[in-house]
Amino acid sequence: MATRLQRLPTISPARRLAWRAGAILAALLVTTLFLAASGRDPRLLADLVVRSTVGSRFGLEDLALFMTPLMLTGAAVTITSRIGIWNIGAEGQFYAGAIGAAAIGLFLPGPAIVILPLMALAGILCGMGWILIPTLARAYAGVNEIITTLLLNFVAALLTSYLAVGPWHDRVTGALASTGRLPVQIPEFWGAVHWGFPLALAIVLALALLMARTGWGYQVTISGANDQAARYAGIPVRARIIAVMLASGGLAALAGVFELAGTVHRLQGGLANNFGYFGIVVAVLARGSCLNVLPAALLMAFILDSGIVLQTQQLTASTVLAITGLVLFLIALGDELAHYRPVAPRAEPTP
Amino acid sequence: MIALLTGMLTTAVLAGGVLALAALGEVLAERVGVTNLGVEGLMSMGAVVAIITVVATPHPWLGLLAATLTGAAGGMIFAFATVIVRANQVLCGLAVTFLGLGLSATIGHDYAGIPSPVTFGRTPIPLLSAIPIVGPAFFGQNVLVYLIYLLLPAAATQLLFHTRHGLNLRAVGENPAAADAAGIPVASIRFWYVTLGAALAGAAGGYLTLAYVPVWSEGLVAGRGWIALALVIFAGYRPFAATCSGLLFGLITALAYVGQARNWPIAPAFLNMLPYLGTMAFIIVPVVVWHRMRRIMAAPAALGVPYHRNVR
């Protein structure tokens, strides 16, 4: 008799972690086979990847720079997922934040100490504004937020490249498709790593505390778990949905502000670099916990960082995107497979 | 003026076909309770495989078949993960999109910019295509247009709403536990309809390069997969409504083209935003204006929820 599988409703974190490690190894194996098949030496590439990510100063700096926006977009998607909402529009809110910050940074002269907070404020407000319509549509008319938030991503990307190529384009150096360099920038404290990194870290930790240790966070969680019970218990579910979605838009926008003012220093098309979409990946990996956003963002940053190395080896950015998809897919599979365990077949009663 | 209207409507029908086909596929998947967010990636794969096939063997039907089979293969992988293993549908859908966009650009790298050697030519329907304005737009198109706007939605409507099998598959999307208790094979119905839906998404990609924009380039699909997903909601999960909303969207696209061609004093970037903003308006305005719509347009009750027999 065949072995049966039994589904465990809850599993230990160690078990899940083991399956995830297995999934990542499997993705690595497939990637290696693919690279070997296309005539590259996987061992050489692996050596290169390790040396230029965690094995060198520059690699670690890049890792931190990738992690900064991922922590914020990951947290943005995580907090909405707590209330049962999928904000797929972090990419658009990221652009909105960058646009808002660029408007201040490019056109308002002043000392950095005044301008930077203003940029952050303008960026956050723009991000909140960007998610406002999907928020109201969801809260008051029950319109599916996955689609509305997502469609605005395309609008935001178009608006950004319009501004960067059109009215805001660089008139000094004549650089194509970008604005001039911002006069102020977030100061760096370790190589290329700017203060946005520790700030993002602190924000995620504060959010983790807010969600896990306050009544507000508890109300959000209950509203997400069972909105009817929450309403019956007197929790203003609609107000919580609005607050969480606006906060999410603000967080994703802040990622855009940090990327603009800390790393890229100019507004250009493609600035968001899929960080909004990867934020969804981070959030799903984090399984709704703000604290888990940190290791999830680290993993995602490592994948992106490796991707840059692979690009120097004539592998295109699209190949890297495909590898990311593969990793994601296998982790999703592993997460669920971790719930199953084989049980010995029941002994048939002997006649 | 007549020429302008004719041209606009013709473009609308042609452009809307891509979305109508992909949306129709997604209607089938969502009716059995599975959200496939991978449409964008599947379309992208379909588009590139169609080009590669017709470059090798210049036959458009072969190209379309290859695109459809590619979509089906991707759909099977997605369905295996979400229906059999019951992994997170949002995550798997995004993974399929990343994989599809990345892989298609990788394998299509050498084909970028090469116009497809063959496309589906026009096969006008006699008499009907002579009607002014509407004739050329609806009856002077390629064969696929007739398939997409008439045959496929009619077949899907018949299947969904007028057969016992259709009742079963809607039951799977509304209440899988009850369907299971009634002896309906939930997993296999979900698996095959998700696969079929994905096959249509692949075919939509093939249509894109074989009938609409006959050249492959990276980013060719440009969010059409996501718009198709939105149209499914707007159409209230109904096949004919999905087709019509595809056409409506095609009109907005055509409007943007006309604007650019006639040098309207609006930057092209804003005209290009129209389809996305229009789609948003489509799905928000009706439910806000007519409250009754919310119930009529409701999603299948078990949409997005994996079904476990032992935890029912």
Side-chain angles (χ1 to χ4, degrees), chain A residues 7 133 140-141 143-144 147 150-152 154-155 158-159 162 280-281 284 318-319 321-322 325 328-329 332-333 336 340, chain B residues 77 81 85-87 91 94-95 98-99 102-103 105-106 223 226 230 233 267 269-270 272-273 276 280 287 294 308 310:
Chain A
R7 185 172 197 279
I133 290 175
Y140 289 97
V143 175
N144 183 318
I147 303 295
L150 183 120
L151 287 169
L152 284 174
F154 297 98
V155 179
L158 282 167
L159 184 63
Y162 165 74
I280 303 162
V281 179
V284 179
S318 359
T319 315
L321 189 67
L328 236 188
F329 189 75
L333 267 182
E336 196 50 40
Y340 290 89
Chain B
I77 295 170
V85 182
R86 304 178 187 93
L91 185 52
L94 289 173
F98 290 165
L99 253 172
L103 208 57
T106 305
W226 296 110
I233 299 172
F270 292 101
N272 291 335
M273 286 175 196
Y276 308 109
M280 260 190 78
V287 278
R294 227 188 285 186
H308 300 278
N310 50 352

Side-chain angles (χ1 to χ4, degrees), chain B residues 260-286:
Chain B
Q260 262 166 61
R262 313 210 121 202
N263 282 323
W264 285 357
I266 306 171
F270 292 101
L271 289 171
N272 291 335
M273 286 175 196
L274 277 181
Y276 308 109
L277 292 173
T279 313
M280 260 190 78
F282 284 176
I283 62 173
I284 293 177
V285 172

Side-chain angles (χ1 to χ4, degrees), chain B residues 188-253:
Chain B
S188 90
I189 283 190
R190 281 192 167 178
F191 185 90
W192 290 113
Y193 279 96
V194 169
T195 304
L196 182 61
L200 292 185
Y207 170 97
L208 192 59
T209 45
L210 294 174
Y212 180 39
V213 193
V215 60
W216 162 260
S217 63
E218 202 180 324
L220 175 76
V221 180
R224 287 190 179 87
W226 296 110
I227 289 170
L229 276 164
L231 294 185
V232 175
I233 299 172
F234 174 61
Y237 309 85
R238 286 162 176 79
F240 262 115
T243 314
C244 293
S245 43
L247 180 63
L248 201 58
F249 180 94
L251 263 175
I252 301 179
T253 312

Side-chain angles (χ1 to χ4, degrees), chain A residues 80-166:
Chain A
T80 55
S81 78
R82 285 287 283 256
I83 203 163
I85 282 172
W86 285 102
N87 173 14
I88 310 288
E91 185 90 353
Q93 295 135 26
F94 186 109
Y95 276 123
I99 290 172
I104 299 287
L106 287 170
F107 302 112
L108 198 66
I113 190 89
V114 181
I115 296 299
L116 281 175
L118 277 178
M119 282 170 75
L121 189 70
I124 290 171
L125 286 176
C126 282
M128 287 179 163
W130 205 253
I131 203 178
L132 188 65
I133 290 175
T135 302
L136 296 178
R138 163 74 202 211
Y140 289 97
V143 175
N144 183 318
E145 76 289 349
I146 293 186
I147 303 295
T148 49
T149 51
L150 183 120
L151 287 169
L152 284 174
N153 290 347
F154 297 98
V155 179
L158 282 167
L159 184 63
T160 305
S161 45
Y162 165 74
L163 289 172
V165 176

